[in-house]
Amino acid sequence: MDGSETRGLLHPFLLLLICEQPGHGYELIDRLGCLGVSGVEPGHAYRVLRNLERERLVVSTWVTSDAGPARRRYELTREGHADLEAWMARLARLREVLDSCLLRWSRADRAPSGSPNGRRGSYTVS
Protein backbone atom coordinates (compact mmCIF):
# COMPACT_ATOMS: atom_id res chain seq x y z
CA MET A 1 0.00 0.00 0.00
CA ASP A 2 1.47 3.36 -0.88
CA GLY A 3 1.51 6.19 1.62
CA SER A 4 -1.52 8.01 0.24
CA GLU A 5 -4.17 5.70 1.76
CA THR A 6 -2.53 5.74 5.17
CA ARG A 7 -1.16 9.28 5.27
CA GLY A 8 -3.58 10.36 8.00
CA LEU A 9 -2.69 7.31 10.08
CA LEU A 10 1.03 8.03 10.41
CA HIS A 11 0.38 9.40 13.90
CA PRO A 12 -0.72 6.06 15.43
CA PHE A 13 1.60 4.01 13.20
CA LEU A 14 4.65 5.95 14.35
CA LEU A 15 3.53 5.79 17.98
CA LEU A 16 3.19 2.01 17.66
CA LEU A 17 6.63 1.60 16.10
CA ILE A 18 8.21 3.83 18.75
CA CYS A 19 6.39 1.87 21.45
CA GLU A 20 7.81 -1.38 20.05
CA GLN A 21 11.31 0.06 19.83
CA PRO A 22 12.52 3.65 20.01
CA GLY A 23 14.38 4.78 16.91
CA HIS A 24 15.44 7.61 14.65
CA GLY A 25 13.41 9.03 11.79
CA TYR A 26 14.76 7.14 8.79
CA GLU A 27 14.75 3.90 10.74
CA LEU A 28 11.09 4.48 11.62
CA ILE A 29 10.30 5.20 7.95
CA ASP A 30 11.92 1.87 7.00
CA ARG A 31 9.91 0.11 9.68
CA LEU A 32 6.72 1.69 8.31
CA GLY A 33 7.47 -0.26 5.13
CA CYS A 34 7.61 -3.48 7.17
CA LEU A 35 4.20 -2.54 8.56
CA GLY A 36 2.90 -2.39 4.99
CA VAL A 37 3.05 1.39 4.65
CA SER A 38 5.47 2.28 1.89
CA GLY A 39 6.14 5.45 -0.04
CA VAL A 40 6.08 7.75 2.97
CA GLU A 41 7.93 10.95 2.19
CA PRO A 42 10.59 11.64 4.84
CA GLY A 43 9.49 15.27 5.12
CA HIS A 44 5.96 14.22 5.99
CA ALA A 45 7.14 11.63 8.51
CA TYR A 46 9.37 14.19 10.21
CA ARG A 47 6.50 16.70 10.38
CA VAL A 48 4.37 14.09 12.13
CA LEU A 49 7.24 13.26 14.51
CA ARG A 50 7.69 16.96 15.34
CA ASN A 51 3.94 17.25 16.02
CA LEU A 52 4.05 14.17 18.26
CA GLU A 53 6.90 15.77 20.16
CA ARG A 54 5.09 19.12 20.38
CA GLU A 55 2.07 17.27 21.82
CA ARG A 56 4.42 15.59 24.34
CA LEU A 57 3.56 12.13 23.03
CA VAL A 58 7.21 11.41 22.22
CA VAL A 59 10.51 12.85 23.33
CA SER A 60 13.68 12.94 21.29
CA THR A 61 17.29 13.00 22.28
CA TRP A 62 20.35 13.52 20.12
CA VAL A 63 22.42 10.36 19.83
CA THR A 64 25.96 10.64 18.48
CA SER A 65 27.53 8.01 16.29
CA ASP A 66 31.09 7.22 15.26
CA ALA A 67 29.85 6.37 11.76
CA GLY A 68 27.95 9.58 10.99
CA PRO A 69 26.18 12.65 12.27
CA ALA A 70 24.12 12.73 15.44
CA ARG A 71 20.49 11.74 15.00
CA ARG A 72 17.33 12.25 16.98
CA ARG A 73 16.10 9.13 18.73
CA TYR A 74 12.37 9.14 19.48
CA GLU A 75 10.86 7.52 22.58
CA LEU A 76 7.26 7.22 23.72
CA THR A 77 6.08 9.17 26.76
CA ARG A 78 3.38 8.10 29.21
CA GLU A 79 1.00 10.46 27.39
CA GLY A 80 2.04 8.90 24.11
CA HIS A 81 1.23 5.44 25.39
CA ALA A 82 -2.24 6.60 26.49
CA ASP A 83 -2.78 8.24 23.09
CA LEU A 84 -1.67 5.03 21.36
CA GLU A 85 -4.17 3.01 23.39
CA ALA A 86 -6.95 5.41 22.37
CA TRP A 87 -5.90 5.14 18.72
CA MET A 88 -5.89 1.34 18.87
CA ALA A 89 -9.49 1.40 20.14
CA ARG A 90 -10.45 3.74 17.27
CA LEU A 91 -8.66 1.54 14.74
CA ALA A 92 -10.39 -1.57 16.09
CA ARG A 93 -13.76 0.14 15.50
CA LEU A 94 -12.61 1.18 12.03
CA ARG A 95 -11.62 -2.43 11.31
CA GLU A 96 -15.17 -3.53 12.18
CA VAL A 97 -16.60 -1.01 9.72
CA LEU A 98 -14.14 -2.03 7.01
CA ASP A 99 -14.82 -5.74 7.60
CA SER A 100 -18.55 -5.06 7.27
CA CYS A 101 -17.99 -3.09 4.08
CA LEU A 102 -15.80 -5.80 2.55
CA LEU A 103 -18.27 -8.51 3.49
CA ARG A 104 -21.11 -6.58 1.85
CA TRP A 105 -18.95 -6.03 -1.22
CA SER A 106 -18.16 -9.75 -1.50
CA ARG A 107 -21.89 -10.51 -1.35
CA ALA A 108 -22.78 -7.77 -3.83
CA ASP A 109 -20.02 -8.82 -6.22
CA ARG A 110 -21.43 -12.37 -6.34
CA ALA A 111 -24.99 -11.18 -6.88
CA PRO A 112 -26.39 -12.04 -10.29
CA SER A 113 -26.13 -9.37 -12.91
CA GLY A 114 -29.05 -8.37 -15.05
CA SER A 115 -30.74 -5.79 -12.90
CA PRO A 116 -32.53 -3.10 -14.93
CA ASN A 117 -29.77 -0.54 -14.36
CA GLY A 118 -27.04 -2.95 -15.47
CA ARG A 119 -25.45 -3.10 -12.03
CA ARG A 120 -24.90 -6.10 -9.86
CA GLY A 121 -27.26 -6.42 -6.94
CA SER A 122 -30.29 -4.37 -6.17
CA TYR A 123 -30.26 -1.58 -3.66
CA THR A 124 -33.16 0.40 -2.36
CA VAL A 125 -32.61 3.79 -0.77
CA SER A 126 -35.08 4.51 2.00
Side-chain angles (χ1 to χ4, degrees), residues 81-103:
H81 195 274
D83 190 64
L84 177 58
E85 285 183 4
W87 264 104
M88 290 303 111
R90 289 171 64 191
L91 291 175
R93 286 191 300 275
L94 177 59
R95 180 184 59 203
E96 292 172 5
V97 171
L98 292 173
D99 286 346
S100 175
C101 176
L102 292 170
L103 178 62

mmCIF file of all heavy atoms in Angstrom, residues 81-103:
data_model
loop_
_atom_site.group_PDB
_atom_site.id
_atom_site.type_symbol
_atom_site.label_atom_id
_atom_site.label_comp_id
_atom_site.label_asym_id
_atom_site.label_seq_id
_atom_site.Cartn_x
_atom_site.Cartn_y
_atom_site.Cartn_z
ATOM 1 N N HIS A 81 1.771 6.791 25.238
ATOM 2 C CA HIS A 81 1.228 5.442 25.394
ATOM 3 C C HIS A 81 -0.287 5.493 25.542
ATOM 4 O O HIS A 81 -1.012 4.691 24.933
ATOM 5 C CB HIS A 81 1.866 4.743 26.600
ATOM 6 C CG HIS A 81 1.638 3.280 26.602
ATOM 7 N ND1 HIS A 81 0.511 2.716 27.143
ATOM 8 C CD2 HIS A 81 2.377 2.254 26.112
ATOM 9 C CE1 HIS A 81 0.552 1.412 26.984
ATOM 10 N NE2 HIS A 81 1.676 1.098 26.364
ATOM 11 N N ALA A 82 -0.786 6.451 26.327
ATOM 12 C CA ALA A 82 -2.242 6.604 26.492
ATOM 13 C C ALA A 82 -2.892 6.970 25.158
ATOM 14 O O ALA A 82 -3.966 6.453 24.812
ATOM 15 C CB ALA A 82 -2.543 7.666 27.552
ATOM 16 N N ASP A 83 -2.249 7.846 24.395
ATOM 17 C CA ASP A 83 -2.781 8.236 23.088
ATOM 18 C C ASP A 83 -2.790 7.039 22.142
ATOM 19 O O ASP A 83 -3.749 6.842 21.389
ATOM 20 C CB ASP A 83 -1.947 9.385 22.509
ATOM 21 C CG ASP A 83 -2.582 10.005 21.282
ATOM 22 O OD1 ASP A 83 -3.687 10.574 21.414
ATOM 23 O OD2 ASP A 83 -1.975 9.915 20.193
ATOM 24 N N LEU A 84 -1.740 6.233 22.200
ATOM 25 C CA LEU A 84 -1.668 5.033 21.361
ATOM 26 C C LEU A 84 -2.794 4.065 21.705
ATOM 27 O O LEU A 84 -3.436 3.502 20.815
ATOM 28 C CB LEU A 84 -0.305 4.363 21.516
ATOM 29 C CG LEU A 84 -0.083 3.061 20.760
ATOM 30 C CD1 LEU A 84 -0.285 3.240 19.260
ATOM 31 C CD2 LEU A 84 1.314 2.508 21.057
ATOM 32 N N GLU A 85 -3.062 3.887 22.988
ATOM 33 C CA GLU A 85 -4.171 3.010 23.391
ATOM 34 C C GLU A 85 -5.501 3.521 22.849
ATOM 35 O O GLU A 85 -6.327 2.737 22.362
ATOM 36 C CB GLU A 85 -4.239 2.901 24.910
ATOM 37 C CG GLU A 85 -3.166 2.015 25.495
ATOM 38 C CD GLU A 85 -3.297 1.847 27.000
ATOM 39 O OE1 GLU A 85 -4.272 2.361 27.603
ATOM 40 O OE2 GLU A 85 -2.411 1.198 27.579
ATOM 41 N N ALA A 86 -5.712 4.835 22.909
ATOM 42 C CA ALA A 86 -6.948 5.413 22.373
ATOM 43 C C ALA A 86 -7.033 5.189 20.868
ATOM 44 O O ALA A 86 -8.106 4.861 20.333
ATOM 45 C CB ALA A 86 -7.018 6.904 22.705
ATOM 46 N N TRP A 87 -5.915 5.369 20.170
ATOM 47 C CA TRP A 87 -5.898 5.142 18.724
ATOM 48 C C TRP A 87 -6.197 3.686 18.382
ATOM 49 O O TRP A 87 -6.908 3.406 17.416
ATOM 50 C CB TRP A 87 -4.551 5.551 18.127
ATOM 51 C CG TRP A 87 -4.548 6.917 17.567
ATOM 52 C CD1 TRP A 87 -3.997 8.040 18.116
ATOM 53 C CD2 TRP A 87 -5.132 7.324 16.323
ATOM 54 N NE1 TRP A 87 -4.208 9.118 17.292
ATOM 55 C CE2 TRP A 87 -4.903 8.700 16.186
ATOM 56 C CE3 TRP A 87 -5.835 6.656 15.321
ATOM 57 C CZ2 TRP A 87 -5.333 9.427 15.089
ATOM 58 C CZ3 TRP A 87 -6.264 7.378 14.227
ATOM 59 C CH2 TRP A 87 -6.019 8.746 14.125
ATOM 60 N N MET A 88 -5.662 2.752 19.169
ATOM 61 C CA MET A 88 -5.894 1.339 18.872
ATOM 62 C C MET A 88 -7.368 0.999 19.025
ATOM 63 O O MET A 88 -7.917 0.214 18.245
ATOM 64 C CB MET A 88 -5.018 0.449 19.763
ATOM 65 C CG MET A 88 -3.532 0.527 19.425
ATOM 66 S SD MET A 88 -3.150 0.089 17.695
ATOM 67 C CE MET A 88 -2.635 1.667 17.046
ATOM 68 N N ALA A 89 -8.040 1.611 19.988
ATOM 69 C CA ALA A 89 -9.490 1.399 20.135
ATOM 70 C C ALA A 89 -10.227 1.957 18.916
ATOM 71 O O ALA A 89 -11.148 1.308 18.393
ATOM 72 C CB ALA A 89 -9.998 2.056 21.416
ATOM 73 N N ARG A 90 -9.822 3.141 18.459
ATOM 74 C CA ARG A 90 -10.454 3.735 17.268
ATOM 75 C C ARG A 90 -10.210 2.873 16.038
ATOM 76 O O ARG A 90 -11.112 2.662 15.208
ATOM 77 C CB ARG A 90 -9.907 5.138 17.028
ATOM 78 C CG ARG A 90 -10.368 6.152 18.037
ATOM 79 C CD ARG A 90 -9.656 7.471 17.920
ATOM 80 N NE ARG A 90 -9.914 8.128 16.646
ATOM 81 C CZ ARG A 90 -9.233 9.192 16.228
ATOM 82 N NH1 ARG A 90 -8.277 9.714 16.966
ATOM 83 N NH2 ARG A 90 -9.524 9.745 15.069
ATOM 84 N N LEU A 91 -8.982 2.366 15.901
ATOM 85 C CA LEU A 91 -8.660 1.536 14.735
ATOM 86 C C LEU A 91 -9.397 0.201 14.781
ATOM 87 O O LEU A 91 -9.783 -0.328 13.733
ATOM 88 C CB LEU A 91 -7.151 1.322 14.629
ATOM 89 C CG LEU A 91 -6.346 2.564 14.267
ATOM 90 C CD1 LEU A 91 -4.844 2.265 14.303
ATOM 91 C CD2 LEU A 91 -6.749 3.113 12.909
ATOM 92 N N ALA A 92 -9.616 -0.327 15.969
ATOM 93 C CA ALA A 92 -10.393 -1.571 16.088
ATOM 94 C C ALA A 92 -11.827 -1.339 15.615
ATOM 95 O O ALA A 92 -12.408 -2.189 14.925
ATOM 96 C CB ALA A 92 -10.372 -2.076 17.537
ATOM 97 N N ARG A 93 -12.396 -0.178 15.980
ATOM 98 C CA ARG A 93 -13.756 0.139 15.502
ATOM 99 C C ARG A 93 -13.752 0.344 13.986
ATOM 100 O O ARG A 93 -14.678 -0.095 13.289
ATOM 101 C CB ARG A 93 -14.286 1.377 16.218
ATOM 102 C CG ARG A 93 -14.672 1.105 17.663
ATOM 103 C CD ARG A 93 -15.441 2.251 18.303
ATOM 104 N NE ARG A 93 -14.713 3.507 18.340
ATOM 105 C CZ ARG A 93 -13.853 3.864 19.289
ATOM 106 N NH1 ARG A 93 -13.600 3.056 20.290
ATOM 107 N NH2 ARG A 93 -13.247 5.039 19.246
ATOM 108 N N LEU A 94 -12.722 0.987 13.471
ATOM 109 C CA LEU A 94 -12.614 1.180 12.027
ATOM 110 C C LEU A 94 -12.504 -0.163 11.318
ATOM 111 O O LEU A 94 -13.103 -0.375 10.267
ATOM 112 C CB LEU A 94 -11.412 2.064 11.690
ATOM 113 C CG LEU A 94 -11.120 2.291 10.205
ATOM 114 C CD1 LEU A 94 -12.311 2.939 9.503
ATOM 115 C CD2 LEU A 94 -9.858 3.125 10.039
ATOM 116 N N ARG A 95 -11.744 -1.094 11.901
ATOM 117 C CA ARG A 95 -11.615 -2.427 11.308
ATOM 118 C C ARG A 95 -12.979 -3.097 11.206
ATOM 119 O O ARG A 95 -13.295 -3.735 10.191
ATOM 120 C CB ARG A 95 -10.668 -3.294 12.124
ATOM 121 C CG ARG A 95 -10.519 -4.709 11.522
ATOM 122 C CD ARG A 95 -9.671 -5.608 12.354
ATOM 123 N NE ARG A 95 -10.261 -5.735 13.673
ATOM 124 C CZ ARG A 95 -9.571 -6.086 14.751
ATOM 125 N NH1 ARG A 95 -8.293 -6.330 14.676
ATOM 126 N NH2 ARG A 95 -10.178 -6.192 15.905
ATOM 127 N N GLU A 96 -13.827 -2.948 12.227
ATOM 128 C CA GLU A 96 -15.168 -3.534 12.183
ATOM 129 C C GLU A 96 -15.972 -2.958 11.026
ATOM 130 O O GLU A 96 -16.663 -3.693 10.315
ATOM 131 C CB GLU A 96 -15.896 -3.291 13.504
ATOM 132 C CG GLU A 96 -15.314 -4.051 14.667
ATOM 133 C CD GLU A 96 -15.916 -3.656 16.003
ATOM 134 O OE1 GLU A 96 -16.875 -2.845 16.024
ATOM 135 O OE2 GLU A 96 -15.429 -4.145 17.029
ATOM 136 N N VAL A 97 -15.882 -1.647 10.827
ATOM 137 C CA VAL A 97 -16.599 -1.010 9.724
ATOM 138 C C VAL A 97 -16.057 -1.504 8.384
ATOM 139 O O VAL A 97 -16.827 -1.831 7.474
ATOM 140 C CB VAL A 97 -16.497 0.534 9.828
ATOM 141 C CG1 VAL A 97 -17.040 1.204 8.578
ATOM 142 C CG2 VAL A 97 -17.212 1.031 11.071
ATOM 143 N N LEU A 98 -14.740 -1.570 8.262
ATOM 144 C CA LEU A 98 -14.140 -2.032 7.006
ATOM 145 C C LEU A 98 -14.482 -3.492 6.733
ATOM 146 O O LEU A 98 -14.784 -3.862 5.593
ATOM 147 C CB LEU A 98 -12.622 -1.847 7.042
ATOM 148 C CG LEU A 98 -12.146 -0.402 7.033
ATOM 149 C CD1 LEU A 98 -10.641 -0.342 7.247
ATOM 150 C CD2 LEU A 98 -12.552 0.311 5.767
ATOM 151 N N ASP A 99 -14.437 -4.335 7.776
ATOM 152 C CA ASP A 99 -14.818 -5.744 7.599
ATOM 153 C C ASP A 99 -16.260 -5.857 7.116
ATOM 154 O O ASP A 99 -16.561 -6.651 6.218
ATOM 155 C CB ASP A 99 -14.649 -6.523 8.903
ATOM 156 C CG ASP A 99 -13.192 -6.795 9.242
ATOM 157 O OD1 ASP A 99 -12.317 -6.623 8.367
ATOM 158 O OD2 ASP A 99 -12.930 -7.173 10.406
ATOM 159 N N SER A 100 -17.149 -5.051 7.690
ATOM 160 C CA SER A 100 -18.550 -5.060 7.269
ATOM 161 C C SER A 100 -18.681 -4.627 5.816
ATOM 162 O O SER A 100 -19.416 -5.244 5.031
ATOM 163 C CB SER A 100 -19.363 -4.137 8.177
ATOM 164 O OG SER A 100 -20.679 -4.037 7.723
ATOM 165 N N CYS A 101 -17.963 -3.576 5.464
ATOM 166 C CA CYS A 101 -17.994 -3.087 4.084
ATOM 167 C C CYS A 101 -17.489 -4.150 3.113
ATOM 168 O O CYS A 101 -18.114 -4.407 2.074
ATOM 169 C CB CYS A 101 -17.147 -1.814 3.987
ATOM 170 S SG CYS A 101 -16.990 -1.152 2.323
ATOM 171 N N LEU A 102 -16.373 -4.786 3.434
ATOM 172 C CA LEU A 102 -15.797 -5.803 2.548
ATOM 173 C C LEU A 102 -16.697 -7.026 2.437
ATOM 174 O O LEU A 102 -16.820 -7.619 1.358
ATOM 175 C CB LEU A 102 -14.399 -6.193 3.032
ATOM 176 C CG LEU A 102 -13.350 -5.094 2.894
ATOM 177 C CD1 LEU A 102 -12.067 -5.478 3.623
ATOM 178 C CD2 LEU A 102 -13.082 -4.775 1.429
ATOM 179 N N LEU A 103 -17.340 -7.385 3.537
ATOM 180 C CA LEU A 103 -18.274 -8.513 3.493
ATOM 181 C C LEU A 103 -19.450 -8.185 2.578
ATOM 182 O O LEU A 103 -19.843 -8.996 1.732
ATOM 183 C CB LEU A 103 -18.774 -8.843 4.901
ATOM 184 C CG LEU A 103 -19.802 -9.966 4.994
ATOM 185 C CD1 LEU A 103 -19.215 -11.281 4.498
ATOM 186 C CD2 LEU A 103 -20.295 -10.093 6.432
#
